[in-house]
């Protein structure tokens, strides 16, 4: 699918110890979408991922690399990558994992949906979406976490934690990346919520999510607990604001 009508598109791919996966996923992405550029954001991987990214960039002018001084969290890596992409004048800025969980061959679904949206999320938990090689316990955790997000934050998105997505340039400008403080995986939920609160259109399209076959997952129990705590704090704050707004709108003398 041509992306000419969408303008310049770049996929931001954060990495930390993905030496075995990066060449493979970049090759697949460039083959599936030759018009799409790639920005690798490496958090000083000790396994040499950054050097591999540099070698790929030297061979392909559509691959660029940002080297960060230290590992400071997924959200921080994306914010820096998004900022670079905005400075470079990209019209569409996407995100995806380097481990093969997000299949570049399905990126065309997100690109097509972006023609009628401000933010598109590749979703596992909508009709047509699926996961491969996940135990039922992890599926239950992800489904339950997303249900908790919908109920607590009052948003309609069914897979707010998905990291396969596309933003219009105007979307990132409107939600003000400078105000984003999320550093871990909760960053994904944070940006979806900000987009909805800004009145922007968020669409979900089904994807098949494939569990990594090489390397170690970055999702740990501590990361999951941090995300749950942050979402709970946001939810309580949002409900408190709703009550305050309702009280301010209440006519004087009501209930007397």
């Amino acid at each position: 699918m041509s992306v000419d009508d969408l303008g310049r598109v770049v996929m931001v791919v954060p990495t930390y110890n993905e030496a075995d996966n990066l060449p493979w996923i970049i090759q697949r992405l460039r083959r599936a979408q030759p018009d799409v550029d790639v920005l690798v954001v490496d958090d000083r991987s000790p396994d040499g991922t950054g050097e591999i990214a540099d070698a790929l960039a030297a061979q392909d002018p559509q691959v660029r690399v940002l080297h960060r001084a230290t590992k400071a969290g997924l959200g921080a890596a994306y914010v820096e990558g998004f900022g670079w992409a905005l400075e470079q004048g990209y019209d569409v800025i996407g995100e995806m994992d380097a481990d093969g969980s997000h299949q570049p061959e399905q990126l065309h679904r997100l690109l097509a949906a972006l023609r009628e949206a401000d933010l598109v999320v590749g979703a596992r938990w909508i009709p047509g979406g699926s996961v491969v090689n996940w135990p039922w316990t992890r599926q239950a955790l992800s489904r339950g976490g997303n249900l908790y997000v919908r109920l607590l934050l009052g948003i309609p998105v069914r897979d707010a934690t998905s990291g396969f997505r596309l933003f219009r340039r105007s979307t990132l400008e409107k939600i003000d990346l400078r105000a984003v403080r999320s550093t871990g995986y909760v960053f994904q939920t944070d940006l979806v919520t900000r987009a909805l609160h800004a009145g922007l259109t968020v669409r979900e399209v089904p994807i098949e999510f494939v569990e990594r076959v090489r390397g170690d997952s970055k999702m740990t129990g501590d990361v999951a607990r941090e995300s749950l705590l942050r979402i709970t704090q946001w939810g309580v704050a949002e409900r408190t604001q709703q009550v305050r707004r309702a009280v301010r709108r209440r006519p004087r003398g009501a209930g007397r």
Side-chain angles (χ1 to χ4, degrees):
M1 171 182 292
S2 171
V3 298
D4 291 346
D5 59 328
L6 292 174
R8 297 176 64 209
V9 182
V10 62
M11 295 301 294
V12 179
V13 182
T15 57
Y16 185 76
N17 286 350
E18 296 289 357
D20 291 337
N21 289 312
L22 187 63
W24 170 65
I25 199 66
I26 295 299
Q27 181 184 52
R28 288 174 59 189
L29 177 55
R30 296 288 292 115
R31 184 185 300 124
Q33 294 293 336
D35 296 328
V36 172
D37 294 346
V38 184
L39 172 67
V40 178
V41 183
D42 186 65
D43 275 6
R44 204 172 184 179
S45 299
D47 72 344
T49 300
E51 289 77 6
I52 292 173
D54 286 336
L56 293 170
Q59 299 168 7
D60 186 343
Q62 287 182 247
V63 177
R64 303 289 294 276
V65 186
L66 275 182
H67 294 278
R68 284 159 43 84
T70 185
K71 189 174 187 291
L74 182 70
Y78 271 130
V79 167
E80 188 165 341
F82 290 170
W84 177 91
L86 291 172
E87 290 177 357
Q88 297 298 313
Y90 283 96
D91 304 291
V92 176
I93 302 166
E95 57 174 86
M96 63 180 290
D97 291 346
D99 61 9
S101 297
H102 303 140
Q103 301 181 70
E105 296 79 11
Q106 297 183 347
L107 180 56
H108 67 92
R109 301 180 185 179
L110 281 68
L111 290 165
L114 193 66
R115 289 167 170 81
E116 299 178 353
D118 300 298
L119 164 59
V120 175
V121 177
R124 300 157 292 185
W125 311 124
I126 63 173
S130 62
V131 297
V132 177
N133 295 331
W134 265 18
W136 71 267
T137 50
R138 189 168 177 187
Q139 291 194 44
L141 179 63
S142 182
R143 286 180 180 272
N146 275 286
L147 176 61
Y148 184 72
V149 167
R150 291 202 307 278
L151 295 177
L152 193 63
L153 301 183
I155 63 175
V157 177
R158 299 184 65 84
D159 198 353
T161 61
S162 171
F164 194 18
R165 51 182 68 182
L166 293 176
F167 299 85
R168 287 188 179 274
R169 175 188 185 86
S170 56
T171 301
L172 293 177
E173 291 173 337
K174 191 165 186 178
I175 63 180
D176 188 9
L177 285 174
R178 294 170 298 181
V180 175
R181 295 292 179 265
S182 306
T183 58
Y185 281 80
V186 73
F187 171 83
Q188 310 293 9
T189 301
D190 190 356
L191 262 61
V192 166
T193 304
R194 287 173 183 270
L196 290 168
H197 286 174
L200 301 175
T201 301
V202 178
R203 284 195 59 190
E204 293 181 278
V205 297
I207 61 165
E208 180 187 67
F209 180 96
V210 182
E211 175 64 349
R212 69 161 62 232
V213 295
R214 295 187 291 260
D216 298 321
S217 173
K218 309 302 188 298
M219 176 59 74
T220 65
D222 288 342
V223 170
R225 284 188 288 273
E226 176 203 2
S227 297
L228 181 63
L229 175 61
R230 291 293 299 273
I231 290 168
T232 301
Q233 291 171 338
W234 293 340
V236 170
E238 175 65 19
R239 292 293 181 260
T240 300
Q241 289 297 321
Q242 289 176 355
V243 170
R244 289 175 177 171
R245 288 194 293 267
V247 169
R248 287 197 294 267
R249 288 195 299 266
R250 188 180 183 185
R252 288 186 177 182
R256 292 183 181 178

Coordinates of all heavy atoms in Angstrom, one line a residue, residues 126-187:
I126 N -9.9 -7.1 20.3 CA -11.1 -6.8 19.6 C -11.4 -7.9 18.6 O -10.5 -8.7 18.3 CB -11.0 -5.4 18.8 CG1 -9.9 -5.5 17.7 CG2 -10.7 -4.3 19.8 CD1 -9.8 -4.3 16.9
P127 N -12.6 -8.0 18.0 CA -12.9 -9.1 17.0 C -11.9 -9.1 15.9 O -11.6 -8.0 15.3 CB -14.3 -8.7 16.5 CG -14.9 -8.0 17.7 CD -13.8 -7.2 18.3
G128 N -11.3 -10.2 15.6 CA -10.3 -10.3 14.6 C -8.9 -10.3 15.2 O -7.9 -10.7 14.5
G129 N -8.7 -9.8 16.4 CA -7.4 -9.7 17.0 C -7.1 -11.0 17.7 O -8.0 -11.8 18.1
S130 N -5.8 -11.3 17.9 CA -5.4 -12.5 18.6 C -4.0 -12.4 19.1 O -3.3 -11.5 18.8 CB -5.5 -13.7 17.6 OG -4.6 -13.5 16.5
V131 N -3.6 -13.4 19.9 CA -2.2 -13.6 20.4 C -1.8 -15.0 20.1 O -2.6 -15.9 20.1 CB -2.1 -13.2 21.9 CG1 -2.5 -11.8 22.2 CG2 -2.9 -14.2 22.7
V132 N -0.5 -15.1 19.9 CA 0.1 -16.4 19.6 C 1.1 -16.8 20.6 O 2.0 -15.9 21.0 CB 0.8 -16.4 18.2 CG1 1.5 -17.8 17.9 CG2 -0.3 -16.1 17.1
N133 N 1.0 -18.0 21.2 CA 2.0 -18.5 22.1 C 2.0 -17.8 23.5 O 3.0 -17.7 24.2 CB 3.4 -18.5 21.6 CG 3.6 -19.4 20.4 OD1 2.9 -20.4 20.3 ND2 4.5 -19.0 19.4
W134 N 0.9 -17.3 23.9 CA 0.7 -16.8 25.2 C 0.0 -17.8 26.1 O -1.1 -18.3 25.7 CB -0.1 -15.5 25.2 CG 0.8 -14.3 25.2 CD1 2.1 -14.2 24.9 CD2 0.3 -12.9 25.5 NE1 2.5 -12.8 24.9 CE2 1.4 -12.1 25.3 CE3 -0.9 -12.4 25.9 CZ2 1.3 -10.7 25.6 CZ3 -1.0 -11.0 26.1 CH2 0.1 -10.2 26.0
P135 N 0.4 -18.1 27.3 CA -0.4 -18.9 28.2 C -1.7 -18.2 28.6 O -1.7 -17.0 28.6 CB 0.6 -19.1 29.4 CG 1.5 -17.9 29.4 CD 1.7 -17.6 28.0
W136 N -2.6 -19.0 29.1 CA -3.9 -18.3 29.4 C -3.8 -17.4 30.6 O -4.5 -16.4 30.6 CB -5.0 -19.4 29.8 CG -4.7 -20.1 31.1 CD1 -4.0 -21.3 31.3 CD2 -5.2 -19.6 32.4 NE1 -4.0 -21.6 32.7 CE2 -4.7 -20.6 33.3 CE3 -5.9 -18.6 32.8 CZ2 -4.9 -20.5 34.7 CZ3 -6.1 -18.4 34.2 CH2 -5.7 -19.4 35.1
T137 N -2.8 -17.6 31.4 CA -2.6 -16.7 32.6 C -2.2 -15.3 32.1 O -2.7 -14.3 32.6 CB -1.5 -17.2 33.5 OG1 -0.3 -17.6 32.7 CG2 -2.0 -18.4 34.2
R138 N -1.3 -15.2 31.1 CA -0.9 -13.9 30.6 C -2.0 -13.2 29.8 O -2.2 -12.0 29.8 CB 0.4 -14.0 29.7 CG 0.9 -12.7 29.4 CD 2.3 -12.8 28.8 NE 2.8 -11.5 28.4 CZ 3.9 -11.3 27.7 NH1 4.7 -12.3 27.4 NH2 4.3 -10.1 27.4
Q139 N -2.8 -14.1 29.0 CA -3.9 -13.5 28.3 C -4.9 -12.9 29.3 O -5.5 -11.8 29.1 CB -4.6 -14.6 27.5 CG -3.8 -15.1 26.3 CD -4.6 -15.9 25.3 OE1 -5.7 -15.5 25.0 NE2 -4.1 -17.0 24.9
A140 N -5.2 -13.6 30.4 CA -6.1 -13.1 31.4 C -5.6 -11.8 32.0 O -6.4 -10.9 32.3 CB -6.4 -14.2 32.5
L141 N -4.3 -11.8 32.3 CA -3.7 -10.6 32.9 C -3.9 -9.4 32.0 O -4.3 -8.3 32.4 CB -2.3 -10.8 33.2 CG -1.5 -9.6 33.8 CD1 -2.1 -9.3 35.2 CD2 0.0 -9.9 33.9
S142 N -3.6 -9.6 30.7 CA -3.7 -8.5 29.7 C -5.2 -8.1 29.5 O -5.5 -6.9 29.5 CB -3.1 -8.9 28.4 OG -3.2 -7.8 27.5
R143 N -6.1 -9.0 29.3 CA -7.5 -8.7 29.2 C -8.0 -8.0 30.4 O -8.8 -7.0 30.3 CB -8.3 -10.0 28.9 CG -8.1 -10.6 27.5 CD -9.0 -11.8 27.4 NE -8.9 -12.5 26.1 CZ -9.6 -12.1 25.0 NH1 -10.5 -11.2 25.1 NH2 -9.5 -12.8 23.9
G144 N -7.7 -8.6 31.6 CA -8.2 -8.0 32.8 C -7.6 -6.6 33.0 O -8.4 -5.7 33.5
G145 N -6.4 -6.4 32.7 CA -5.8 -5.0 32.8 C -6.4 -4.0 31.9 O -6.7 -2.9 32.4
N146 N -6.8 -4.4 30.7 CA -7.4 -3.5 29.8 C -8.9 -3.2 30.2 O -9.4 -2.1 30.0 CB -7.3 -4.0 28.4 CG -6.1 -3.7 27.7 OD1 -5.8 -2.5 27.3 ND2 -5.2 -4.6 27.5
L147 N -9.5 -4.2 30.8 CA -10.9 -4.0 31.3 C -10.8 -3.0 32.5 O -11.7 -2.1 32.6 CB -11.5 -5.3 31.8 CG -12.9 -5.2 32.4 CD1 -13.9 -4.6 31.5 CD2 -13.3 -6.6 32.9
Y148 N -9.8 -3.2 33.3 CA -9.7 -2.3 34.5 C -9.4 -0.8 34.0 O -10.0 0.1 34.5 CB -8.5 -2.7 35.3 CG -8.2 -1.9 36.5 CD1 -9.1 -2.1 37.6 CD2 -7.1 -1.1 36.7 CE1 -8.8 -1.4 38.8 CE2 -6.8 -0.4 37.8 CZ -7.7 -0.5 38.9 OH -7.5 0.2 40.1
V149 N -8.6 -0.7 32.9 CA -8.4 0.6 32.3 C -9.7 1.3 31.8 O -10.0 2.4 32.1 CB -7.3 0.5 31.2 CG1 -7.3 1.8 30.4 CG2 -6.0 0.2 31.7
R150 N -10.5 0.5 31.1 CA -11.7 1.0 30.5 C -12.7 1.5 31.6 O -13.3 2.5 31.5 CB -12.4 0.0 29.6 CG -11.7 -0.4 28.4 CD -12.6 -1.0 27.3 NE -13.3 -2.1 27.8 CZ -12.9 -3.3 27.8 NH1 -11.6 -3.6 27.5 NH2 -13.7 -4.3 28.2
L151 N -12.8 0.6 32.6 CA -13.8 1.0 33.7 C -13.3 2.1 34.6 O -14.1 3.0 34.9 CB -14.0 -0.3 34.6 CG -14.7 -1.5 33.9 CD1 -14.8 -2.7 34.8 CD2 -16.1 -1.1 33.4
L152 N -12.0 2.1 34.9 CA -11.5 3.1 35.8 C -11.4 4.5 35.2 O -11.7 5.5 35.7 CB -10.2 2.7 36.4 CG -9.7 3.5 37.6 CD1 -10.7 3.3 38.8 CD2 -8.3 3.0 38.1
L153 N -10.8 4.5 33.9 CA -10.6 5.7 33.2 C -11.8 6.2 32.4 O -11.8 7.3 31.9 CB -9.3 5.6 32.4 CG -8.0 5.3 33.1 CD1 -6.8 5.3 32.1 CD2 -7.8 6.3 34.3
G154 N -12.7 5.3 32.2 CA -13.9 5.6 31.4 C -13.6 5.8 29.9 O -14.2 6.7 29.3
I155 N -12.7 5.0 29.3 CA -12.4 5.2 27.9 C -12.9 3.9 27.2 O -13.0 2.9 27.7 CB -10.9 5.4 27.7 CG1 -10.1 4.1 28.2 CG2 -10.4 6.6 28.4 CD1 -8.6 4.2 27.9
P156 N -13.2 4.1 25.9 CA -13.8 3.0 25.1 C -12.8 2.0 24.5 O -13.1 1.0 23.9 CB -14.6 3.7 24.0 CG -13.8 5.0 23.8 CD -13.3 5.4 25.1
V157 N -11.5 2.4 24.5 CA -10.5 1.6 23.8 C -10.3 0.3 24.5 O -10.1 0.2 25.7 CB -9.1 2.4 23.8 CG1 -8.0 1.6 23.2 CG2 -9.3 3.7 23.0
R158 N -10.3 -0.8 23.8 CA -10.2 -2.2 24.4 C -8.8 -2.7 24.5 O -8.6 -3.6 25.3 CB -11.1 -3.1 23.5 CG -12.5 -2.8 23.4 CD -13.3 -3.8 22.6 NE -13.3 -5.1 23.3 CZ -14.2 -5.4 24.3 NH1 -15.1 -4.5 24.7 NH2 -14.1 -6.6 24.8
D159 N -7.8 -2.1 23.9 CA -6.4 -2.5 24.0 C -5.6 -1.3 24.2 O -4.7 -1.0 23.3 CB -6.0 -3.3 22.8 CG -4.7 -4.2 23.1 OD1 -4.2 -4.0 24.2 OD2 -4.4 -5.0 22.3
A160 N -5.8 -0.6 25.3 CA -5.0 0.7 25.5 C -3.6 0.4 25.8 O -2.8 1.4 25.8 CB -5.7 1.4 26.7
T161 N -3.2 -0.8 26.1 CA -1.8 -1.1 26.4 C -1.0 -1.6 25.2 O 0.2 -1.8 25.4 CB -1.7 -2.2 27.5 OG1 -2.3 -3.4 27.1 CG2 -2.4 -1.7 28.8
S162 N -1.6 -1.7 24.1 CA -0.9 -2.1 22.9 C 0.2 -1.1 22.5 O -0.1 0.1 22.5 CB -1.9 -2.3 21.7 OG -1.2 -2.5 20.5
G163 N 1.3 -1.6 22.0 CA 2.4 -0.7 21.6 C 2.6 -0.7 20.1 O 3.7 -0.2 19.7
F164 N 1.7 -1.1 19.3 CA 1.7 -1.1 17.9 C 0.7 0.0 17.4 O -0.5 -0.3 17.5 CB 1.4 -2.4 17.3 CG 1.7 -2.6 15.8 CD1 2.6 -1.8 15.2 CD2 1.2 -3.7 15.1 CE1 3.0 -2.0 13.8 CE2 1.5 -3.9 13.8 CZ 2.4 -3.0 13.1
R165 N 1.2 1.2 17.0 CA 0.2 2.3 16.8 C 0.9 3.3 15.9 O 2.1 3.4 15.7 CB -0.2 2.9 18.1 CG 0.9 3.3 19.0 CD 0.4 3.9 20.3 NE -0.3 2.9 21.2 CZ -0.8 3.2 22.4 NH1 -0.8 4.4 22.8 NH2 -1.4 2.3 23.1
L166 N 0.0 4.2 15.3 CA 0.4 5.3 14.5 C -0.3 6.5 14.9 O -1.5 6.5 15.3 CB -0.1 5.0 13.0 CG 0.6 3.9 12.2 CD1 -0.1 3.8 10.9 CD2 2.1 4.1 12.1
F167 N 0.5 7.6 15.0 CA 0.0 8.9 15.4 C 0.1 9.9 14.2 O 1.1 9.9 13.5 CB 0.8 9.6 16.5 CG 0.8 8.8 17.8 CD1 1.7 7.7 18.0 CD2 0.0 9.1 18.8 CE1 1.8 7.0 19.2 CE2 0.0 8.4 20.0 CZ 0.9 7.4 20.2
R168 N -0.9 10.7 14.0 CA -0.7 11.8 13.1 C 0.2 12.9 13.8 O 0.2 12.9 15.0 CB -2.0 12.5 12.7 CG -2.8 11.7 11.8 CD -4.0 12.5 11.3 NE -4.8 11.7 10.3 CZ -4.6 11.7 9.0 NH1 -3.6 12.4 8.5 NH2 -5.4 11.0 8.2
R169 N 1.0 13.6 13.0 CA 1.8 14.6 13.6 C 1.0 15.6 14.5 O 1.4 15.9 15.6 CB 2.5 15.4 12.5 CG 3.3 16.6 13.0 CD 3.8 17.5 11.8 NE 4.7 18.5 12.4 CZ 6.0 18.4 12.6 NH1 6.6 17.2 12.3 NH2 6.7 19.3 13.1
S170 N -0.2 16.0 14.0 CA -1.0 16.9 14.7 C -1.5 16.3 16.1 O -1.7 17.1 17.0 CB -2.2 17.3 13.9 OG -2.9 16.1 13.5
T171 N -1.6 15.0 16.1 CA -2.0 14.4 17.4 C -0.9 14.6 18.5 O -1.2 15.0 19.6 CB -2.3 12.9 17.2 OG1 -3.3 12.7 16.2 CG2 -2.7 12.2 18.4
L172 N 0.3 14.3 18.1 CA 1.4 14.4 19.1 C 1.6 15.9 19.5 O 1.9 16.2 20.7 CB 2.7 13.8 18.5 CG 2.7 12.3 18.3 CD1 4.0 11.9 17.7 CD2 2.5 11.6 19.7
E173 N 1.3 16.8 18.6 CA 1.5 18.2 18.9 C 0.3 18.6 19.9 O 0.5 19.4 20.8 CB 1.4 19.0 17.6 CG 2.7 18.8 16.8 CD 2.6 19.5 15.4 OE1 1.5 19.8 15.0 OE2 3.7 19.8 14.9
K174 N -0.8 18.1 19.7 CA -2.0 18.5 20.5 C -1.9 18.0 21.9 O -2.3 18.6 22.8 CB -3.3 18.1 19.8 CG -4.5 18.7 20.4 CD -5.8 18.6 19.6 CE -6.9 19.3 20.1 NZ -8.1 19.2 19.3
I175 N -1.4 16.7 22.1 CA -1.4 16.2 23.4 C -0.2 16.6 24.2 O -0.1 16.3 25.4 CB -1.4 14.6 23.4 CG1 -0.2 14.1 22.7 CG2 -2.7 14.1 22.7 CD1 -0.2 12.5 22.7
D176 N 0.7 17.4 23.6 CA 1.9 18.0 24.2 C 2.8 17.0 24.9 O 2.7 16.7 26.1 CB 1.4 19.0 25.3 CG 2.6 19.8 25.9 OD1 3.7 19.7 25.3 OD2 2.3 20.6 26.8
L177 N 3.7 16.5 24.1 CA 4.6 15.4 24.6 C 5.5 15.9 25.8 O 5.9 15.2 26.7 CB 5.6 15.0 23.5 CG 5.0 14.1 22.5 CD1 6.0 13.8 21.4 CD2 4.5 12.8 23.1
R178 N 5.7 17.2 25.9 CA 6.5 17.8 27.0 C 5.9 17.6 28.3 O 6.6 17.6 29.4 CB 6.8 19.3 26.7 CG 7.6 19.6 25.5 CD 7.6 21.1 25.2 NE 6.3 21.5 24.9 CZ 6.0 22.8 24.6 NH1 6.9 23.7 24.5 NH2 4.7 23.1 24.3
A179 N 4.6 17.4 28.3 CA 3.9 17.2 29.6 C 3.8 15.7 30.0 O 3.3 15.4 31.1 CB 2.4 17.7 29.5
V180 N 4.2 14.8 29.2 CA 4.1 13.4 29.5 C 5.3 13.0 30.4 O 6.4 13.2 30.1 CB 4.2 12.5 28.2 CG1 4.3 11.1 28.5 CG2 3.0 12.9 27.3
R181 N 4.9 12.4 31.5 CA 5.9 12.0 32.5 C 6.0 10.4 32.7 O 6.8 9.9 33.4 CB 5.6 12.6 33.9 CG 5.6 14.1 33.9 CD 7.1 14.6 33.8 NE 7.2 16.0 33.8 CZ 7.2 16.7 32.7 NH1 7.2 16.2 31.5 NH2 7.3 18.1 32.7
S182 N 5.2 9.7 32.0 CA 5.2 8.2 32.1 C 6.5 7.7 31.4 O 6.8 8.1 30.3 CB 4.0 7.6 31.3 OG 2.8 8.2 31.8
T183 N 7.1 6.8 32.1 CA 8.4 6.2 31.6 C 8.3 4.7 31.2 O 9.0 4.3 30.4 CB 9.5 6.4 32.6 OG1 9.2 5.8 33.8 CG2 9.8 7.9 32.9
G184 N 7.4 4.0 31.9 CA 7.3 2.6 31.7 C 6.2 2.2 30.7 O 5.8 3.1 29.8
Y185 N 5.7 1.0 30.8 CA 4.7 0.5 29.8 C 3.4 1.3 30.0 O 2.5 1.3 29.0 CB 4.5 -1.0 30.0 CG 5.5 -1.8 29.4 CD1 6.8 -2.0 30.0 CD2 5.3 -2.4 28.1 CE1 7.8 -2.8 29.4 CE2 6.3 -3.2 27.5 CZ 7.5 -3.3 28.1 OH 8.5 -4.1 27.5
V186 N 3.1 1.9 31.1 CA 1.9 2.7 31.3 C 1.9 3.9 30.3 O 0.8 4.5 30.1 CB 1.8 3.2 32.8 CG1 2.8 4.3 33.0 CG2 0.4 3.6 33.1
F187 N 3.0 4.2 29.7 CA 3.1 5.3 28.7 C 2.0 5.0 27.6 O 1.4 6.0 27.1 CB 4.5 5.3 28.1 CG 4.6 6.1 26.9 CD1 4.9 7.5 27.0 CD2 4.6 5.6 25.6 CE1 5.1 8.3 25.9 CE2 4.8 6.4 24.5 CZ 5.0 7.7 24.6

